[in-house]
Amino acid sequence: MSKILVIDDEEKIRTLLSKILSLEGYEVFQASDLKNAMKRLEFSDIDVAVCDVKLPDGSGVDFVKKIKEKYPSLEIILLTAYGNIQDGVQAIKNGAFDYITKGDDNNKIIPLVYKALEKVSLNKRISQLEKQLGNKHSFESIIGHSRKIKSAIESAKKVATTDATVLLTGETGTGKEVFANAIHNASNRTKYNFIAVNCSAFTKELLENELFGHKAGAFTGAVKDSKGIFEEADKGTVFLDEIGEMPMDLQAKLLRVLESGEFLKVGDSKTTKIDVRIIAATNRNLEKEIENGNFREDLFYRINIFTVQLPPLRERVSDIEELTYNFLKNFSLKTGKKISGFSKEYGEALKKHPWKGNIRELRNVIERSTILTDGEELQVESLPQDFQYDQEINIKGKILSAFELAGAEKIHIQKVLNYANGNKTKTAELLGIALTTLYRKIEEYQIK
């Protein structure tokens, strides 16, 4: 139920308005002055306030500004006995929803309150979505408690509140864009755009146009001016992924942005001024790229003000289980399956894998396993072939490599059993062995 606060020192008017609003199904509270109104706002989650302009202890017009600063989602409708343009203009500037003259209020108040409540509802939904988005891109959303990932998070948190350029280094798939988003979200630029671009995904000409935009007539097909990423992200953050792939010509233009905050659009003779923070990322050794003549040394020192090294997944094995449960939860929901966890053997196989593709590879593996699994747990058999041969096989207490004949035979029988949905007769037929032999093998290898 929506809550309305009526503020008026005239008891008859206050009572009448309260009755009218109560009949519409709203929960109505009353206050005779600003002091009591403030107390009521502190203890009740008020949606809309209907307030007289002239009160014993102050002006309703000034009250609007004070209240909107403290309760931005609250909407205020001002009532006055003698309306004047100056007060009305100032009231709207201060954040009032509307300003009406008493006498018209009986006819106007209900539609106004209804519209004000619509705005309150919209603002609450927007606020909730912003909060969800903020949580999604916050440092708290980064999964893992290993020493190395916690160290990287702490370093990123310290630089986030500054305007310093950040260089994120690490192998492909370690979560550099996740960190870049979190740094932006924790900065004073969070209300402005965060725009990411992969420097390896474009040719030199396309990347230049993508970053800096162009003037009409700059090239065939350029019929009007176009903003680039830097202009679109003004006052926000630009994330340059794979910066080591950027052509040398564009590195010079990027250096100018970092040094002076200005650049030339393609085909333009007048510079464009912008204010952006740059976060760069690379999986290359930029110092070696400098030695090989592929990266500007002066640009390297401009972007290398603060470096955050992201660890590969093989160096944070203790985080694999938590990451797996997170991905499994998302993919189970996405596929509509009720998969609650994974077998011990499955978890061990994940921990032994080298993870050359890091977190991105883990995510893909869990998605694949979720698609293949019909039961309540992910099993080793749903892993790609190389995982199954990486793991060791336990047969009657003896650890065997999957390359040993017994280990390979156990894996093969398990696969065929899964294919036949546990039908042992069909499994024996497919394997070309007697049913009694299959039962013996199942018991010998302790196949579930």
Side-chain angles (χ1 to χ4, degrees):
M1 183 186 292
S2 300
K3 296 180 180 180
I4 316 294
L5 174 61
V6 177
I7 313 165
D8 201 307
D9 59 329
E10 295 185 46
E11 188 177 353
K12 287 183 179 179
I13 294 176
R14 191 172 69 241
T15 304
L16 176 62
L17 282 174
S18 298
K19 188 174 181 180
I20 292 170
L21 292 165
S22 295
L23 289 171
E24 292 295 319
Y26 304 127
E27 187 176 357
V28 183
F29 301 90
Q30 298 182 33
S32 58
D33 53 32
L34 299 180
K35 183 181 178 182
N36 285 309
M38 286 297 291
K39 286 181 180 179
R40 175 55 65 184
L41 289 171
E42 287 177 13
F43 294 104
S44 303
D45 188 17
I46 302 296
D47 297 303
V48 174
V50 180
C51 181
D52 191 11
V53 168
K54 290 188 177 181
L55 291 158
D57 54 349
S59 164
V61 175
D62 298 332
F63 179 69
V64 170
K65 187 175 182 180
K66 183 179 179 181
I67 291 305
K68 290 296 284 185
E69 287 174 356
K70 193 170 183 180
Y71 306 100
S73 63
L74 175 70
E75 294 300 330
I76 305 170
I77 299 168
L78 286 178
L79 304 177
T80 180
Y82 308 99
N84 66 74
I85 294 173
Q86 187 177 353
D87 274 357
V89 170
Q90 190 58 50
I92 300 302
K93 280 184 178 179
N94 287 353
F97 182 78
D98 211 334
Y99 177 91
I100 61 173
T101 306
K102 286 182 179 180
D104 296 334
D105 55 329
N106 288 354
N107 297 324
K108 291 183 178 180
I109 197 67
I110 298 303
L112 270 179
V113 167
Y114 182 77
K115 288 179 182 178
L117 285 169
E118 280 188 332
K119 186 178 178 183
V120 169
S121 178
L122 177 62
N123 287 339
K124 283 182 177 179
R125 287 201 298 272
I126 291 171
S127 179
Q128 187 178 14
L129 288 171
E130 286 177 343
K131 186 177 180 182
Q132 288 174 355
L133 188 62
N135 289 339
K136 181 182 177 182
H137 296 306
S138 69
F139 284 112
E140 286 67 33
S141 70
I142 298 174
I143 296 169
H145 292 89
S146 61
R147 181 180 58 80
K148 288 195 174 183
I149 196 65
K150 285 174 75 175
S151 176
I153 291 170
E154 287 306 310
S155 294
K157 279 183 177 179
K158 287 177 181 177
V159 75
T161 54
T162 73
D163 252 353
T165 302
V166 181
L167 178 63
L168 302 172
T169 61
E171 297 176 9
T172 299
T174 49
K176 293 188 282 291
E177 187 167 348
V178 172
F179 265 76
N181 259 303
I183 290 170
H184 170 74
N185 191 61
S187 73
N188 57 8
R189 296 174 180 266
T190 186
K191 292 182 180 179
Y192 300 96
N193 286 341
F194 171 89
I195 304 179
V197 61
N198 189 321
C199 298
S200 66
F202 301 91
T203 62
K204 172 188 171 295
E205 291 74 20
L206 285 175
L207 182 58
E208 183 177 17
N209 186 57
E210 190 77 10
L211 292 174
F212 305 108
H214 63 258
K215 291 291 288 182
F219 50 83
T220 304
V223 294
K224 61 180 181 179
D225 292 357
S226 174
K227 289 183 179 181
I229 283 171
F230 281 113
E231 198 172 356
E232 291 284 358
D234 191 28
K235 295 184 177 62
T237 303
V238 171
F239 173 52
L240 300 174
D241 198 8
E242 305 298 349
I243 195 172
E245 309 286 340
M246 182 178 282
M248 291 291 279
D249 292 352
L250 297 189
Q251 289 179 31
K253 292 191 75 169
L254 175 59
L255 183 63
R256 184 176 182 181
V257 172
L258 285 164
E259 290 180 338
S260 63
E262 60 183 29
F263 62 89
L264 280 171
K265 290 184 178 183
V266 178
D268 201 358
S269 57
K270 183 182 176 182
T271 59
T272 300
K273 198 84 174 168
I274 45 94
D275 169 27
V276 296
R277 182 189 198 171
I278 292 175
I279 300 175
T282 183
N283 60 5
R284 293 191 174 196
N285 185 325
L286 293 183
E287 289 171 313
K288 284 188 177 179
E289 293 299 314
I290 292 169
E291 290 177 11
N292 296 333
N294 298 325
F295 202 82
R296 293 178 63 109
E297 188 173 13
D298 49 3
L299 177 59
F300 173 71
Y301 289 118
R302 287 293 305 182
I303 64 172
N304 194 34
I305 294 171
F306 194 97
T307 302
V308 179
Q309 174 74 38
L310 303 190
L313 188 55
R314 63 182 172 276
E315 292 180 9
R316 42 180 298 213
V317 175
S318 60
D319 294 332
I320 289 176
E321 183 174 335
E322 190 178 355
L323 286 162
T324 300
Y325 273 114
N326 179 67
F327 291 139
L328 178 58
K329 179 183 175 182
N330 292 335
F331 291 127
S332 295
L333 191 65
K334 189 176 179 181
T335 57
K337 294 185 176 183
K338 294 181 179 179
I339 306 174
S340 58
F342 48 88
S343 69
K344 183 180 177 182
E345 293 79 11
Y346 187 96
E348 289 301 316
L350 295 184
K351 289 177 181 178
K352 291 172 184 174
H353 190 68
W355 296 114
K356 294 178 182 178
N358 294 292
I359 298 171
R360 187 177 298 143
E361 184 187 359
L362 175 63
R363 182 184 183 278
N364 293 342
V365 166
I366 304 307
E367 183 174 16
R368 178 187 189 276
S369 290
T370 305
I371 292 168
L372 292 175
T373 299
D374 294 321
E376 295 181 354
E377 277 191 340
L378 301 182
Q379 300 292 339
V380 174
E381 293 72 32
S382 66
L383 287 167
Q385 195 79 15
D386 57 329
F387 280 78
Q388 297 183 36
Y389 285 109
D390 279 344
Q391 66 169 320
E392 294 174 325
I393 310 298
N394 188 321
I395 298 178
K396 291 188 176 179
K398 182 184 177 184
I399 302 297
L400 298 175
S401 164
F403 288 105
E404 293 184 49
L405 184 60
E409 188 175 44
K410 176 180 178 179
I411 290 174
H412 185 62
I413 292 172
Q414 182 74 71
K415 280 184 181 178
V416 179
L417 265 169
N418 290 344
Y419 177 78
N421 293 319
N423 187 317
K424 295 180 180 62
T425 303
K426 185 177 180 181
T427 300
E429 289 176 2
L430 291 169
L431 289 169
I433 61 176
L435 185 59
T436 53
T437 303
L438 175 63
Y439 273 104
R440 180 172 55 80
K441 294 286 185 184
I442 288 173
E443 184 179 355
E444 180 185 353
Y445 295 149
Q446 297 176 343
I447 297 172
K448 296 179 182 179

